[in-house]
Amino acid sequence: MKDRGIRHGDRRRQRDAMVQQQIIQRGVQTPEVIAALRKVPREKFIARALDEFAYDDAPLPIAEQQTISQPYIVAFMLDALQLTGHERVLEIGTGSGYAAALLAELAAEVVTLERYKSLADEARTVLQTLGYNTVEVIQSDGTLGWPERAPYGGIVVAAAAPEVPQALKEQLAIGGRLVIPVGTLDGQSLRCVTRVSEHDYQDEHLTQVRFVPLVGEAGWADLDNTPPGR
Ligand code: SAH
């Protein structure tokens, strides 16, 4: 059986090797997170020309000068969310849709927001093709969250924020976790903000990361003024 020139069994082996070397050996332990990474075909979320790099230990370019994150950092963030499988979760920065597919394996419902229409449309198509019908992809400014479907048992932000957007804290369920890179454009602290009660939050530093900017009302200004609605 052919799959873009690379056999299906080879894909399985590449994915298993990726999970073993990049995810398990670096300390990710949650069985559900590991199973999700073993299952979701990352090659479907990238351009054909990058096919051979699908399971590399690196972020890869996607359209609109954005990136699909490094598998390890995605796994690390999913691990930090500590999902039980019953939650509705919110993702900011759909990008390719890869992390949304992983979230769909780990939660009951996924709402994912992307500022570029082209990326949102493309991700929606791929996710539908793969049968991820619990994921809703919406073109919107994620710095404002998506109050219509709040509260969320977990929120994950895949772009670098200057500070934690207030709307996201407010849309978190009590006991829910928000995982978000906060800092400058050169580097960020990955934070885990837990809503412990209606008015109280715990904020923990997890690790140092580097993401593309979160551009929006409660994020960075659009430096090149690219209209996201193309
Ligand atoms: N989770 C993605 C990685 C996306 S990279 C994946 O698995 O492929 C970060 C994404 O955040 C980019 O696509 C970027 O366009 C998007 N983004 C940046 N600011 C945003 C905002 N305010 N709202 C929604 N998406 C935003």
Side-chain angles (χ1 to χ4, degrees), residues 109-127:
E109 286 174 70
V110 182
V111 177
T112 178
L113 309 179
E114 169 56 55
R115 67 184 284 263
Y116 285 103
K117 183 176 188 300
S118 59
L119 292 176
D121 289 347
E122 180 106 346
R124 194 180 297 112
T125 303
V126 179
L127 289 161

Side-chain angles (χ1 to χ4, degrees), residues 61-222:
I62 57 172
E64 308 289 4
Q65 294 178 306
Q66 304 302 315
T67 54
I68 174 172
S69 309
Q70 178 194 18
Y72 171 65
I73 191 66
V74 181
F76 185 91
M77 292 169 96
L78 295 173
D79 209 25
L81 286 176
Q82 295 182 30
L83 298 170
T84 65
H86 302 291
E87 299 86 353
R88 179 184 308 134
V89 296
L90 177 68
E91 180 194 28
I92 314 302
T94 314
S96 68
Y98 176 64
L102 292 166
L103 281 168
E105 298 285 346
L106 296 166
E109 286 174 70
V110 182
V111 177
T112 178
L113 309 179
E114 169 56 55
R115 67 184 284 263
Y116 285 103
K117 183 176 188 300
S118 59
L119 292 176
D121 289 347
E122 180 106 346
R124 194 180 297 112
T125 303
V126 179
L127 289 161
Q128 268 168 13
T129 307
L130 293 175
Y132 284 108
N133 51 22
T134 56
V135 182
E136 188 180 0
V137 182
I138 302 166
Q139 188 216 347
S140 175
D141 176 5
T143 65
L144 307 177
W146 193 254
E148 286 90 324
R149 304 206 50 207
Y152 301 97
I155 302 179
V156 60
V157 182
E163 56 195 40
V164 181
Q166 186 60 28
L168 300 186
K169 289 172 72 173
E170 286 166 5
Q171 290 171 34
L172 206 53
I174 291 169
R177 292 179 164 75
L178 161 63
V179 177
I180 177 169
V182 181
T184 67
L185 296 180
D186 295 329
Q188 307 92 36
S189 156
L190 186 67
R191 320 229 38 113
C192 180
V193 179
T194 308
R195 185 170 199 174
V196 289
S197 70
E198 192 177 347
H199 299 292
D200 298 305
Y201 297 85
Q202 263 169 17
D203 185 343
E204 193 192 339
H205 164 84
L206 301 177
T207 186
Q208 224 26 56
V209 288
R210 188 176 173 152
F211 276 85
V212 296
L214 181 74
V215 177
E217 203 171 310
W220 299 100
D222 186 357

